[in-house]
Amino acid sequence: MASVEKLLAKKLINISAIKLQPSKPFTWASGWKSPIYTDNRKTLSYPEVRTFIKIELTRMITENFSGIDVIAGVATGAIAQGALIADELSLPYIYIRSTPKDHGLENLIEGDLKPGQRVLVVEDLISTGSSSLKAVEAVRRAGGEVVGMAAIFTYGFPVAEEKFKDAGVELCTLSNYAAVLETALESGYITKEELAALKVWREKPSVWMQ
C-alpha cells in the first residue's frame, strides 16, 4: 500500500495543484527559476482531496502533538484547512495575516488568542520557511506558545530545515518534494532525464538556470 506522502503527491499532481515543468520553468516572486509550481488552494475545489488532507492532517497532529489549545491557520493558503482541522478537533481557531490590516484594529492575528495558550500552526506550503516562521513569531509576540507546525507540503530545502531548527519549531508535513518526484516518475509524468534536473534544482534553487 502506498504511503500517505505518495498518495497525496498523486492527488496533487492529478488536480494540477502541483505542476512540473523542468524545460519551461516558472518564476517565483523571489525571482527564483523553478521547475515546480505548487498551489494547494486548488485542493479546496475537490471534496475528496480536501477531505483526505483534513483527515490526514488531523491524524498527524494528534499523533505528534499534545496539549493544543488553539489551531492557527496561516494566511492565505492555510486559512480554510486550518478551520477544517479546528472543527474536526473541536478547538478554537485563529488565523494569522502576512501583514496587519490597514484599517480598524490593524490586527495581525484574527480571532481570540489568550496569553499562555498552546498553539498548533497549520500551513499549506513550506518553501524557505521565512513566511511560515513569521506567523510563529506573531503568535509568540501575542503571548502564545507554539507547540509546532503541520503543513500539507514541503520542498525540503536545507535552508528551511535549518530555520525551523533555529526557531525551535517542530515541523510535520504530509508530503514532500521527494515523494512528488518518485510518484511523477512512476506515472510517466516526468522522464529520468527530467528527474535529474529536478533533483539538481532542489539542492541549489537560488542559482538554478543562472
Side-chain angles (χ1 to χ4, degrees):
M1 183 178 177
S3 64
V4 169
E5 61 183 22
K6 289 187 67 177
L7 283 171
L8 180 54
K10 184 176 181 180
K11 293 177 188 295
L12 296 176
I13 290 171
N14 286 346
I15 65 172
S16 296
I18 285 182
K19 294 181 180 180
L20 299 171
Q21 295 181 184
S23 61
K24 190 180 178 182
F26 305 94
T27 302
W28 286 2
S30 63
W32 287 6
K33 294 293 183 181
S34 168
I36 182 172
Y37 181 75
T38 306
D39 183 5
N40 289 323
R41 287 167 292 195
K42 288 194 72 172
T43 63
L44 299 170
S45 297
Y46 297 84
E48 186 270 333
V49 181
R50 182 181 70 215
T51 301
F52 179 87
I53 291 172
K54 178 188 72 173
I55 291 171
E56 291 302 329
L57 272 177
T58 301
R59 177 193 57 77
M60 185 175 69
I61 289 167
T62 56
E63 288 180 356
N64 291 277
F65 304 100
S66 61
I68 301 167
D69 299 315
V70 180
I71 298 294
V74 180
T76 59
I79 289 178
Q81 282 295 347
L84 289 169
I85 291 163
D87 190 60
E88 193 77 5
L89 294 172
S90 297
L91 287 171
Y93 179 66
I94 60 174
Y95 72 84
I96 307 157
R97 295 175 174 273
S98 56
T99 57
K101 281 198 301 187
D102 59 4
H103 61 280
L105 296 177
E106 301 183 348
N107 294 334
L108 185 60
I109 296 176
E110 297 291 357
D112 290 329
L113 175 63
K114 299 177 178 61
Q117 285 187 313
R118 290 167 57 83
V119 181
L120 188 286
V121 181
V122 176
E123 180 64 286
D124 71 317
L125 173 66
I126 306 296
S127 53
T128 64
S130 296
S131 60
S132 302
L133 289 171
K134 283 182 181 178
V136 169
E137 292 170 9
V139 171
R140 287 173 171 170
R141 284 197 303 269
E145 177 186 346
V146 175
V147 299
M149 183 177 294
I152 297 173
F153 184 79
T154 180
Y155 293 119
F157 293 143
V159 64
E161 294 172 356
E162 194 64 28
K163 285 179 182 177
F164 274 88
K165 182 180 177 182
D166 290 345
V169 178
E170 181 179 352
L171 172 66
C172 293
T173 61
L174 286 184
S175 194
N176 53 67
Y177 190 64
V180 163
L181 295 192
E182 189 176 347
T183 302
L185 183 65
E186 290 172 356
S187 67
Y189 181 36
I190 60 172
T191 65
K192 289 184 178 179
E193 290 73 21
E194 289 173 322
L195 176 66
L198 287 158
K199 285 183 174 180
V200 169
W201 171 79
R202 185 200 165 280
E203 294 305 316
K204 294 183 178 180
S206 62
V207 296
W208 190 71
M209 289 196 72
Q210 289 189 2

